[in-house]
Amino acid sequence: MIRVVLADDQTLVRAGFRSILSDEEDLEVVAEAGDGEQAIALARELRPDVVLMDIRMPVLDGLEATRRITADERLEGVRVVILTTFDADDHVYGALRAGASGFLVKDTEPMELLHAVRVVARGDALIAPAVTRRLIAEFAGRADRQPDPSPRLNALTEREREVLGLVGAGLSNDEIAGRLVLSPATAKTHVSRIMTKLAVRDRAQLVILAYESGMITPGWLA
């Protein structure tokens, strides 16, 4: 059973999401929060698998709440999916930089919402290639941001660095396998080892690390 906490300051929005999720046999809404502070408290108390987090909430916004949840070692297994009415680059970047495992706009189709919860609950990231390309372009277009190679990358083998670059470009395990002529299982193993070596929570954080380090740039993947 995938346990979910809903965090949104609008009661009707929470009710709508609860209705969608509660119809599924493998999903359970265990609590609701009306602001970021409540979301953090419920995450600590209940240790849900997924928190669906609105960005704009009173008391504490969703980005800061996400940052605090993902920074808490006791909540290592809690994944956050950001929900917002605004499909804006700054929101996408801010959400993933804060540690979110995914990003959805509120008018997404019910099936997409259900898919997102399940994908994130199993430890994968919900990042479409189009979003990844926008993130890279947004980073490259800001003059005040310079690549910041992480010393942690030195722990990776040459093959692992290659796989990390492909993850950062938005490729799935199957796509990585096809590009590098590997089995999907081997590609998945490489990704898992990279996450362990770099001490990151999921693929979303690998994407952030790959492009902030300068490993990938617009047009890198031809």
Side-chain angles (χ1 to χ4, degrees):
M1 182 69 71
I2 299 172
R3 302 167 69 249
V4 181
V5 166
L6 301 176
D8 194 295
D9 61 331
Q10 297 184 46
T11 304
L12 286 177
V13 171
R14 297 200 307 270
F17 284 129
R18 176 182 281 275
S19 177
I20 294 170
L21 296 170
S22 297
D23 284 342
E24 302 298 309
E25 293 184 355
D26 61 330
L27 304 178
E28 178 186 10
V29 177
V30 294
E32 298 181 18
D35 61 58
E37 288 283 9
Q38 291 178 4
I40 295 170
L42 289 171
R44 289 172 175 164
E45 176 187 355
L46 301 173
R47 310 290 173 88
D49 300 294
V50 178
V51 177
L52 292 180
M53 183 86 73
D54 185 26
I55 287 183
R56 297 190 175 184
M57 292 188 291
V59 184
L60 189 71
D61 68 52
L63 293 185
E64 182 57 29
T66 298
R67 193 172 290 110
R68 295 185 190 183
I69 289 173
T70 58
D72 191 332
E73 293 182 357
R74 298 168 297 178
L75 303 180
E76 184 178 356
V78 178
R79 299 289 185 262
V80 178
V81 175
I82 291 288
L83 294 164
T84 182
T85 54
F86 304 96
D87 184 15
D89 290 343
D90 281 346
H91 288 154
V92 174
Y93 176 79
L96 299 178
R97 194 68 184 83
S101 296
F103 177 94
L104 288 173
V105 291
K106 288 184 179 178
D107 62 356
T108 188
E109 294 295 325
M111 291 305 296
E112 293 180 10
L113 173 66
L114 297 173
H115 173 71
V117 171
R118 292 177 175 125
V119 164
V120 170
R122 68 173 180 246
D124 293 332
L126 188 75
I127 307 181
V131 172
T132 302
R133 287 192 294 270
R134 283 167 48 196
L135 284 170
I136 298 168
E138 186 263 357
F139 173 77
R142 293 194 176 187
D144 60 335
R145 269 196 204 141
Q146 297 297 323
D148 183 21
S150 171
R152 291 181 293 171
L153 296 181
N154 295 332
L156 302 181
T157 65
E158 194 62 35
R159 172 63 87 184
E160 288 169 345
R161 291 175 69 90
E162 191 173 13
V163 171
L164 175 57
L166 295 174
V167 170
L171 272 65
S172 67
N173 287 345
D174 286 347
E175 290 169 333
I176 292 171
R179 194 172 185 89
L180 298 181
V181 195
L182 305 171
S183 72
T186 299
K188 183 177 182 180
T189 298
H190 279 309
V191 173
S192 297
R193 287 177 178 169
I194 292 168
M195 287 194 290
T196 298
K197 286 185 177 182
L198 300 181
V200 300
R201 292 167 62 93
D202 54 32
R203 294 175 80 100
Q205 301 309 295
L206 288 182
V207 171
I208 292 290
L209 182 61
Y211 84 79
E212 286 195 336
S213 68
M215 176 174 288
I216 52 178
T217 58
W220 175 81
L221 187 61

